[in-house]
Amino acid sequence: MNYPSYVRLVDVGPRDGLQNEKTPVPAAIKVELVQRLQAAGLTEIEVTSFVSPKWVPQMADAASVMAGIQRQPGVRYSVLTPNLQGYQAAVLTQPDEIVVFGAASEAFSQKNINCSIEESIERFRPVVQAAVAAGIAVRGAISCAVGCPYEGDIAPERVEMVARLMSGIGVQHVGVADTIGVGTPLKVQRALDAALKHYALDQVSGHFHDTYGMALANTLASLELGIWNFDTSVAGLGGCPYAKGATGNVATEDVVYMLHGMGIETGIDLDQLIDAGKFISDFLGRKPHSRAANALLAKRAG
Ligand code: HMG
Ligand code: MG
């Protein structure tokens, strides 16, 4: 098996990770988390979302968080922008990349962003145009790429359709997202293959929630296809408020442990990453949702 020699991880903890937390997390804590992630060697961090505060109150402080971080050269900071209003607020904070988020499921599109898939593409079109004109990179997320909380199984053809539509409006990179973590390796490979019909290998990433404990297996299955970009979340934080029952993303610590064990480079210092995960987990009053982090923390304590 010819695995990639380097893997790039986007830590989505500050955004996907915290958006679902019920109690407000102060902006200063979010900023500190970003600082700790970059100190651990993360070069891609999804910081926040410029969405409606009525829909996702936890992200209402997006501008303050972006203003608070001390930027480090070589690190790219991304933010979610569902529409032009979000983009216009986001651009003032100088993100390196914006993320438009669509879905392969009509029902999820309606629940999450209050419009159909077709309508979402029309909303994204001017956002993508403006970002590209401003030299800001554009990523697209394809939610419910294998399964949907409302529609059940999702056919790869749906993923291919959204990838085609996103490619048509100039989205430069797509993330194939298993929003509710129901995917298994072959289903995930089929969803990735569908996106690969419209995007090159370097322009497709995996975004796997770990609800059913399949995310590491799905990551390995993606590596087998040559996929080398993944979204992961420190301490396994995460979940979407509009995908009931879904738990966090695969923990960055677990993915880094697996990759380093396979001789694949990430540029990340696992010990410092574990400290970052412990910091936010302590704040939230629980243990990190990462087997590797808990094992290594227990070893340290012993
Ligand atoms: P809408 O209600 O249809 O929007 O929501 P609207 O254009 O009709 O505007 C209604 C109100 O929202 C107005 O305010 C607007 O100003 C305001 P009012 O006049 O009532 O006071 N508004 C905004 N405020 C701030 N920022 C904005 C914005 N847009 C409108 N950008 C909308 C449409 C998209 C805004 C809403 O549905 C929304 O915010 N949804 C976000 C849901 C979300 O953040 N979900 C989680 C992220 S996606 C995810 O987690 C999945 C992912 O991880 C991949 C995976 O795992 O699948 C990426
Ligand atoms: Mg997600």
Side-chain angles (χ1 to χ4, degrees), residues 12 15-16 19 46 49-56 59 80-87 89 99-103 108-115 123 140-145 175-180 207-209 231 239-243 249:
V12 298
R15 193 283 302 171
D16 201 332
Q19 71 183 9
E46 203 169 272
S49 323
F50 287 85
V51 295
S52 160
K54 286 182 192 147
W55 285 63
V56 187
M59 296 285 112
L80 267 58
T81 54
N83 53 17
L84 210 44
Q85 187 175 340
Y87 173 78
V99 184
V100 291
F101 47 106
F108 186 75
S109 181
Q110 290 289 353
K111 296 269 187 200
N112 196 42
I113 50 175
N114 205 24
C115 63
R123 283 188 193 178
I142 306 179
S143 286
C144 297
V176 171
D178 183 7
T179 313
I180 54 170
H207 176 115
F208 306 132
H209 286 261
D231 296 347
C240 174
Y242 298 99
N249 296 80

Side-chain angles (χ1 to χ4, degrees), residues 26-28 30-31 47-51 53 56-71 78-81 85-95:
K30 296 171 179 165
V31 168
V47 177
T48 187
S49 323
F50 287 85
V51 295
V56 187
Q58 186 67 260
M59 296 285 112
D61 58 3
S64 321
V65 175
M66 283 296 278
I69 54 182
Q70 276 171 20
R71 302 212 184 182
S78 52
V79 300
L80 267 58
T81 54
Q85 187 175 340
Y87 173 78
Q88 280 158 354
V91 77
L92 301 174
T93 70
Q94 296 180 303

